[in-house]
Amino acid sequence: MGNKGKVFLIYPPSPVLNREDRCQQPTEDLLVIPPLPPTDLMYLAAIAESCGFEAKIKDYSQGGDFIKELKEFQPHFLVVNIATPTFISDMDWVRKAKEALPGLCTIVKGAPFLTYNANAIYENTFLDYVIIGEAEFTLRDILNGVPNNEILGICYRENFQAEKTEKRPFIENLDSLPFPARHLVNNSIYTRPDNGKVQAVIKVARGCPFHCFFCLATPVSGPKVRVRSAENIIAEIKECVEKYNIRNFLFWSDIFNFNREWTLNLCNKIIESGLKITWSSNTRADTMDDEMAAIMYKSGCRLVSIGVESGSQKMLDNIGKKITLDDIRNTVKILKKNGMLYSLRRYRSRKTLFIVSLLLTALFYMMSSIVWNIQIEGADAFSRLQTQSLLNELGVKRGSFLSNINTRALAEQLLQNQKNLSWVGVRKHGMTLSVELEKGTFYEEKKSENILAEDPCLSLIHISEPTRPISI
């Protein structure tokens, strides 16, 4: 192994961040989501090893001298996970790597490149490849020397031009992927937040059909829920237990229990295997039932994260969540009935933890460099189209990269051009832009001000309706 060359796969020396494409957020202030292992890189490293390359993985958010180790390892290929919140910093590290080793082939992947791809190649001469979408088989083709124009899902440079190939289909058979190369990382630094024990991430499914407007799950992984077989998942769990002595797991998916039959079968298979493990997962508020909760607990589930997003039905409707407050109440009652508790003050051992994931603590971290959606709120369809047209004329387009924008000036421009509207507000978090066509309250921390009088450099969060606690 390693006769073909060397592949270096990294998380750049940027702030500690969960870099999964749909959930990019700093972990410093999160109680229940600790820094996660670079499972995406472990999959890619396993692909590289299967192609005959020597692979090395390093998560530099946990420390280390990247350029020094790069020069020592002398790789032929550098694969970098680029996250949206740290986009500029991450890309700068790729540039530094190219300067240190001019012959290095640089490959970047990540959610930003769903839209910013050909321009990324054109504008950044230190990039050799941009991978668009699921990266495993695309990297395999690059490493195997498949002609660039025959590789699906990439952008590359040819004759000083940026070339983009056809979209790569999603991987239908997830069992065809090798297990992540956990032997290449220090597993001990990735632990559960409640007991401090080593935790591995098992990616059990990809895809979500619900199209919530704030979430990247559907653009990143598609609307079809693709699941691994229970046998394949249990084989990976056994490898973790027997080879790495890991017995705590996060079952990562865009929506864990969407397929009820699959969920029950997996839980039953875990019970039948005799594996003494604990695991956690996520759920929607409308996909849990009593039988499912009971068997999840019996098979070792000790934490469930529920995508509640808001305590306001109006807000849930506006963001396309497709759940009701009664769904939330019902799911919480089911979890409580089956011994699943959540404490705001401390974690309780041997009990499933019920975690409410609030929209305002995650949404505005996820989208901070690329304008995935220009939200236009509080207007009829005609006004929305009219405003969108004006934004386009001003150069603010879906998928465009914005280095800086003065929200106050843009709001004033919109007001001048939209005579039929009495008030316009514009807010920005990182590079995500929203336009409010009705009066609203914008705040940062405990300060409430009108957006038109606000400092345009501040990142602002908008509450269109006061959030009320849910009575359970």
Side-chain angles (χ1 to χ4, degrees), residues 46 55 60 66 80 103 120 125 129 153 166 173 185 192 214 222 277 281 284 294 301 320 344 389 431 445:
Y60 284 102
F66 169 45
V80 184
T125 57
Y129 290 97
E166 294 294 321
N173 180 14
V185 303
R192 264 177 56 171
F214 61 88
I277 64 170
S281 71
R284 279 178 59 87
C301 182
L344 287 174
S389 176
M431 302 299 172
E445 297 179 348

Side-chain angles (χ1 to χ4, degrees), residues 54-205:
E54 178 183 352
K56 178 178 180 177
I57 298 174
K58 191 62 182 285
D59 178 359
Y60 284 102
S61 70
Q62 300 296 322
D65 189 330
F66 169 45
I67 299 301
K68 179 177 180 290
E69 294 182 36
L70 176 76
K71 292 178 178 179
E72 290 175 350
F73 188 54
Q74 290 287 312
H76 300 85
F77 296 89
L78 175 69
V79 180
V80 184
N81 176 304
I82 304 292
T84 306
T86 54
F87 181 88
I88 294 175
S89 172
D90 293 350
M91 291 285 279
D92 194 49
W93 281 107
V94 182
R95 178 189 60 78
K96 291 175 181 178
K98 192 74 165 183
E99 291 175 353
L101 296 179
L104 180 67
C105 179
T106 55
I107 305 170
V108 295
K109 63 170 284 289
F113 303 113
L114 289 176
T115 53
Y116 182 61
N117 39 63
N119 282 345
I121 287 287
Y122 182 76
E123 296 169 3
N124 302 283
T125 57
F126 52 84
L127 294 183
D128 292 301
Y129 290 97
V130 166
I131 293 180
I132 308 167
E134 292 181 325
E136 290 90 355
F137 292 156
T138 305
L139 180 64
R140 177 196 61 190
D141 289 350
I142 293 172
L143 297 180
N144 284 336
V146 175
N148 288 338
N149 61 357
E150 297 179 14
I151 301 175
L152 299 178
I154 62 169
C155 285
Y156 63 97
R157 184 176 292 100
E158 185 172 288
N159 297 325
F160 304 102
Q161 298 294 320
E163 302 290 341
K164 181 178 179 179
T165 63
E166 294 294 321
K167 181 179 179 181
R168 180 176 290 272
F170 292 113
I171 301 170
E172 286 294 327
N173 180 14
L174 297 180
D175 286 3
S176 66
L177 293 172
F179 293 160
R182 291 188 172 86
H183 60 284
L184 297 179
V185 303
N186 179 6
N187 295 290
S188 66
I189 65 177
Y190 304 102
T191 58
R192 264 177 56 171
D194 57 324
N195 62 16
K197 294 182 179 180
V198 177
Q199 175 177 259
V201 174
I202 304 284
K203 295 196 172 184
V204 299

Side-chain angles (χ1 to χ4, degrees), residues 227-468:
V227 298
R228 293 169 59 185
S229 68
E231 292 75 15
N232 186 255
I233 294 169
I234 289 173
E236 184 178 346
I237 294 173
K238 284 183 176 179
E239 180 184 85
C240 290
V241 171
E242 295 170 0
K243 191 173 181 179
Y244 305 104
N245 195 30
I246 299 175
R247 294 181 176 274
N248 295 270
F249 300 93
L250 170 58
F251 287 178
W252 186 272
S253 63
D254 296 308
I255 174 170
F256 174 72
N257 57 346
F258 175 73
N259 184 324
R260 187 176 187 276
E261 181 180 353
W262 174 85
T263 303
L264 297 178
N265 180 57
L266 174 61
C267 292
N268 278 318
K269 293 291 185 182
I270 293 173
I271 295 169
E272 292 170 6
S273 72
L275 292 167
K276 302 301 180 182
I277 64 170
T278 61
W279 56 276
S280 59
S281 71
N282 64 357
T283 183
R284 279 178 59 87
D286 58 356
T287 55
M288 183 66 67
D289 61 57
D290 189 67
E291 180 185 4
M292 185 184 299
I295 197 169
M296 286 173 63
Y297 187 87
K298 185 177 180 180
S299 66
C301 182
R302 293 296 179 268
L303 185 151
V304 176
S305 177
I306 302 177
V308 172
E309 322 304 355
S310 176
S312 160
Q313 188 62 56
K314 178 181 178 182
M315 180 62 77
L316 290 173
D317 295 339
N318 286 343
I319 66 176
K321 187 63 184 177
K322 305 177 184 69
I323 61 173
T324 67
L325 297 182
D326 284 340
D327 290 331
I328 298 168
R329 296 185 182 101
N330 185 55
T331 296
V332 172
K333 289 175 181 177
I334 290 172
L335 295 176
K336 284 187 174 182
K337 177 183 177 182
N338 287 277
M340 304 182 184
L341 301 178
Y342 168 67
S343 172
L344 287 174
R345 297 179 180 177
R346 59 187 172 89
Y347 295 103
R348 300 188 178 187
S349 59
R350 297 192 298 265
K351 297 289 184 181
T352 298
L353 306 179
F354 163 56
I355 307 305
V356 177
S357 302
L358 294 176
L359 170 65
L360 295 180
T361 61
L363 168 60
F364 295 97
Y365 284 123
M366 286 194 296
M367 312 217 191
S368 61
S369 289
I370 303 297
V371 182
W372 295 101
N373 292 291
I374 299 172
Q375 308 164 27
I376 304 175
E377 306 171 17
D380 57 28
F382 177 76
S383 294
R384 290 175 186 237
L385 291 172
Q386 196 175 28
T387 306
Q388 180 67 71
S389 176
L390 178 59
L391 286 168
N392 291 340
E393 291 176 10
L394 295 173
V396 182
K397 298 182 180 180
R398 186 186 306 272
S400 60
F401 182 83
L402 303 178
S403 58
N404 185 41
I405 190 166
N406 187 315
T407 55
R408 179 175 180 178
L410 180 57
E412 290 173 347
Q413 281 184 280
L414 289 168
L415 274 173
Q416 292 171 4
N417 287 273
Q418 293 281 45
K419 301 300 183 183
N420 60 316
L421 296 175
S422 60
W423 192 92
V424 175
V426 176
R427 59 187 166 95
K428 179 173 76 75
H429 183 87
M431 302 299 172
T432 300
L433 198 69
S434 293
V435 178
E436 175 70 28
L437 300 182
E438 293 178 347
K439 289 184 178 180
T441 300
F442 291 76
Y443 78 93
E444 184 181 30
E445 297 179 348
K446 297 180 180 179
K447 181 173 57 178
S448 296
E449 295 181 1
N450 187 310
I451 182 64
L452 296 179
E454 185 57 271
D455 183 336
C457 295
L458 292 177
S459 297
L460 301 167
I461 296 175
H462 170 246
I463 302 289
S464 65
E465 178 179 316
T467 301
R468 297 179 295 272

